[in-house]
Amino acid sequence: MSIAVVNKNAKRGSTVKPEAESTSVPSPSSAKVAPRDRIVTTACELFRQHGIRGIGVDAIAEAASTNKMTLYRHFGSKDDLVCETLRVTSEKSDAMWADIETRFPDDARAQLGAWVTALSDCLQRESFGCDIANAAVELKEANHPAHAVIENFKILQRGKLTGLCRRTGTKEPETLADTLLLLLEGARVSRQASGLEGPAQCFQRACRNTLNAFGIGTA
Amino acid sequence: MSIAVVNKNAKRGSTVKPEAESTSVPSPSSAKVAPRDRIVTTACELFRQHGIRGIGVDAIAEAASTNKMTLYRHFGSKDDLVCETLRVTSEKSDAMWADIETRFPDDARAQLGAWVTALSDCLQRESFGCDIANAAVELKEANHPAHAVIENFKILQRGKLTGLCRRTGTKEPETLADTLLLLLEGARVSRQASGLEGPAQCFQRACRNTLNAFGIGTA
DNA sequence: CATAGGTGTGACCGTTCGGTAACAAATGGC
DNA sequence: GCCATTTGTTACCGAACGGTCACACCTATG
């Protein structure tokens, strides 16, 4: 398939510098971070960049300045590692929710506005879509262990957003929440297929319009 | 990766029946369809079901009741075959546009309503998202030949929808078109991650609401 | 009937992949 | 210093993959 293969197996040139020779991805800054954490962080990054099927465990281990054996001692299989990265990603989403909550306590409208802003900013910065939705697209095998993680995250995300919409006092909070979710997922996948100049560029405006239509003027 | 491997190499039992032994996917009904067409049709189906990276050329050839050599005589590489399937898929989209045009000639509002209905129906039936957007998610390698096909399709689709919106006489037709595209892409990816009961279920309602907000009452 | 072009067959190549075995080196708590 | 746990290293396995070769077949056309 194509030329681009990321998995450079056995790059061990020379027996001199055993130092981790600056493997592109600088995620865990090689400081005193446990190998397990380095692996998870690096895997998150590489799965995003190359897709889950597009990167091998060898390459992940090497980029994490460790080796395959250590990886397999922490995660019984690549699938396990995939699940763990999805869990970590979903925890990051939890952190964003918590941050919004603390910034605008007891102000559902402001929180909803902040949610749109935060996701819009995220869309500008990162060229890759929702890792979890991407995983769902990529992993078609039914009974893949990741599906449980994906489903769980999506249900929680939907519940949180629906609750937030309900707290704004709008009628049909479920419809509002689902509409916003469709816009978000659409923007993320569209950004991958068409870039920032594509339909994704109107994500924020579309959200504001939707909020207005539901009687929620942005703060 | 997991257990599920679709590529059953060498299933050639016995030297008796050289007949095409009913290979699950019934796409090209084994009638007098040229091998090339059978391959494309089957590849479309299998890429959708298993993902582009999730199915091998061996399995495609076998499911198309032919063999790998014939496949490679028509398509120089798997990447070529991928591009061809994306082209065929985009032609199917063209056919839908033409159908809508003939059903509601010179009635942009009705055409837009029919577009929403058609895509909504499509969403109910097919459990897989937009093949082209899925390909964009799956094929991260820059300079993959499929990216040209994807980009071309997305630009054309956006142009057509924007034109249609403009013909309805609404103000900000670009924003309306992009919003609808985000809802569509979002619904398709959400359907894969969360099923029909997820946010995708409100796709049609969200589109109607959006059309109303832009002053386009549905016919 | 002969010939040519598309097709089928099966073996094969080189590579990558996920995963394991065996053993050496470091690390840290007692 | 001792010992147990954690890492690193290297080689290896079996399978699947994309892709090719040589050769037999079959069918339509002249």
Side-chain angles (χ1 to χ4, degrees):
Chain A
M1 199 94 170
S2 250
I3 331 94
V5 170
V6 188
N7 224 18
K8 48 184 90 169
N9 224 345
K11 197 250 298 273
R12 50 193 63 76
S14 72
T15 46
V16 259
K17 296 284 172 37
E19 188 61 18
E21 36 181 328
S22 79
T23 45
S24 58
V25 179
S27 327
S29 55
S30 80
K32 269 302 167 210
V33 180
R36 199 197 120 100
D37 296 340
R38 295 203 311 262
I39 291 170
V40 173
T41 307
T42 309
C44 278
E45 186 85 9
L46 293 183
F47 285 153
R48 256 212 303 265
Q49 286 179 26
H50 306 283
I52 294 174
R53 298 189 126 120
I55 194 79
V57 286
D58 264 310
I60 294 172
E62 190 187 350
S65 302
T66 178
N67 53 74
K68 197 160 53 166
M69 256 335 288
T70 300
L71 188 153
Y72 273 101
R73 277 189 278 246
H74 285 290
F75 310 94
S77 68
K78 184 183 182 180
D79 287 350
D80 280 7
L81 176 58
V82 169
C83 290
E84 182 60 23
T85 62
L86 294 182
R87 255 178 250 120
V88 167
T89 299
S90 92
E91 280 168 16
K92 278 187 205 157
S93 167
D94 293 346
M96 186 204 68
W97 278 94
D99 173 65
I100 289 178
E101 174 93 31
T102 60
R103 271 167 47 211
F104 304 96
D106 296 322
D107 187 346
R109 289 168 120 86
Q111 284 179 27
L112 203 45
W115 183 86
V116 170
T117 304
L119 271 309
S120 180
D121 288 353
C122 179
L123 211 58
Q124 302 286 328
R125 283 197 316 274
E126 301 179 5
S127 42
F128 310 104
C130 171
D131 304 325
I132 296 177
N134 281 6
V137 169
E138 207 172 350
L139 307 173
K140 314 269 198 183
E141 307 112 358
N143 67 39
H144 189 292
H147 283 143
V149 185
I150 295 169
E151 191 180 356
N152 180 61
F153 170 76
K154 288 300 177 190
I155 289 178
L156 256 62
Q157 177 188 242
R158 195 188 187 193
K160 275 190 237 178
L161 190 58
T162 303
L164 181 52
C165 289
R166 182 171 296 115
R167 262 172 275 133
T168 66
T170 185
K171 86 276 187 213
E172 294 195 75
E174 294 87 0
T175 303
L176 173 56
D178 282 354
T179 302
L180 291 175
L181 284 178
L182 292 189
L183 290 174
L184 174 62
E185 300 279 26
R188 282 175 148 164
V189 68
S190 171
R191 194 197 188 305
Q192 295 176 78
S194 312
L196 256 180
E197 316 300 322
Q201 74 176 4
C202 102
F203 167 72
Q204 187 154 3
R205 191 164 7 173
C207 286
R208 304 288 173 203
N209 286 344
T210 300
L211 290 177
N212 282 334
F214 277 77
I216 303 178
T218 63
Chain B
M1 199 93 170
S2 250
I3 331 94
V5 170
V6 189
N7 225 17
K8 48 184 92 169
N9 225 344
K11 198 252 299 273
R12 55 193 58 77
S14 72
T15 47
V16 259
K17 294 281 172 40
E19 188 62 17
E21 36 180 330
S22 80
T23 45
S24 58
V25 179
S27 328
S29 53
S30 78
K32 268 300 166 212
V33 181
R36 200 197 119 100
D37 296 340
R38 295 203 311 261
I39 290 170
V40 172
T41 308
T42 308
C44 278
E45 186 85 10
L46 293 182
F47 284 153
R48 256 211 302 264
Q49 287 180 24
H50 306 283
I52 293 174
R53 298 188 126 121
I55 195 79
V57 287
D58 264 311
I60 294 172
E62 190 187 349
S65 303
T66 178
N67 52 75
K68 196 161 52 167
M69 251 341 282
T70 300
L71 189 154
Y72 273 101
R73 276 189 279 247
H74 285 289
F75 310 95
S77 68
K78 185 182 182 182
D79 288 349
D80 281 6
L81 177 57
V82 169
C83 289
E84 181 62 22
T85 62
L86 294 183
R87 255 177 250 119
V88 166
T89 299
S90 93
E91 281 169 15
K92 278 187 203 156
S93 167
D94 293 346
M96 186 204 68
W97 278 94
D99 173 65
I100 289 178
E101 173 94 32
T102 61
R103 271 166 49 211
F104 304 96
D106 297 321
D107 186 346
R109 289 169 120 85
Q111 284 178 30
L112 203 46
W115 183 85
V116 170
T117 303
L119 271 310
S120 179
D121 288 353
C122 180
L123 210 58
Q124 303 285 329
R125 282 196 317 274
E126 301 180 4
S127 42
F128 309 103
C130 172
D131 305 324
I132 297 177
N134 281 5
V137 169
E138 205 171 353
L139 306 173
K140 314 268 198 183
E141 306 112 358
N143 68 37
H144 190 291
H147 283 143
V149 185
I150 294 169
E151 190 180 357
N152 181 62
F153 170 76
K154 289 299 177 192
I155 289 177
L156 258 61
Q157 178 188 241
R158 194 187 188 193
K160 276 189 235 178
L161 190 59
T162 303
L164 181 53
C165 290
R166 183 172 294 114
R167 263 172 274 129
T168 66
T170 185
K171 85 272 186 222
E172 293 196 73
E174 293 87 359
T175 303
L176 173 57
D178 282 354
T179 302
L180 292 175
L181 284 179
L182 292 189
L183 290 173
L184 174 62
E185 301 278 26
R188 282 175 148 165
V189 68
S190 171
R191 192 195 190 306
Q192 296 176 78
S194 312
L196 256 180
E197 318 299 324
Q201 75 178 4
C202 104
F203 167 71
Q204 188 154 2
R205 193 164 6 175
C207 285
R208 305 288 174 202
N209 285 344
T210 301
L211 290 178
N212 282 333
F214 277 76
I216 303 177
T218 63

